[in-house]
């Protein structure tokens, strides 16, 4: 299942390519009990297994950065994304 997917994974970075701790939501996936998915702080990586192939809307947010929304088509395998967040303007 891990290798065959469908899986959505990636790395979230910020200024200078540094990894960010960010919240990663998929609009089509319901979480329960206040669960929040975040990237690993050391390298900004996330991995999400999906129930089925399809089109998903990914929302990535980190304090001090603009929220990024991306529409992603996921087939049977793994989709890997490199996501760079931009600083909020003051």
């Amino acid at each position: 299942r891990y290798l065959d997917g469908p899986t959505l994974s990636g790395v979230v970075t910020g200024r200078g390519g540094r990894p960010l701790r960010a919240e990663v939501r998929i609009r089509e996936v319901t979480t329960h009990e206040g669960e929040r998915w975040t990237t690993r702080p050391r390298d900004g990586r996330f991995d999400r297994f999906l129930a089925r192939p399809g089109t998903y809307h990914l929302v990535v947010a980190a304090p001090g950065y603009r929220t990024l929304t991306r529409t992603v088509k996921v087939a049977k395998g793994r989709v890997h994304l490199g996501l760079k967040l931009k600083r909020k303007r003051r």
Side-chain angles (χ1 to χ4, degrees), residues 11-13 21 32 37 39 41 47 58 68 72 75 79 82 84:
V11 174
V12 178
T13 59
R21 181 170 191 252
H32 302 282
W37 294 339
T39 60
D47 292 286
L58 184 69
L68 175 71
V72 182
V79 173
K84 184 172 183 175

Side-chain angles (χ1 to χ4, degrees), residues 31-64:
T31 58
H32 302 282
E33 304 297 326
E35 179 183 19
R36 294 177 57 209
W37 294 339
T38 59
T39 60
R40 293 189 311 203
R42 72 175 184 255
D43 59 8
R45 185 178 173 97
F46 67 92
D47 292 286
R48 300 292 170 256
F49 299 105
L50 303 168
R52 64 190 59 82
T55 300
Y56 293 90
H57 298 86
L58 184 69
V59 180
V60 182

Side-chain angles (χ1 to χ4, degrees), residues 2 4-7 17 20 31 40-41 44 46 49 58 67 73 76 78-79 81 85:
Y2 179 77
D4 294 336
T7 305
L20 286 178
T31 58
R40 293 189 311 203
F46 67 92
F49 299 105
L58 184 69
T67 299
K73 290 186 180 183
K76 182 179 178 186
R78 171 183 298 269
V79 173
L81 304 170
L85 300 186

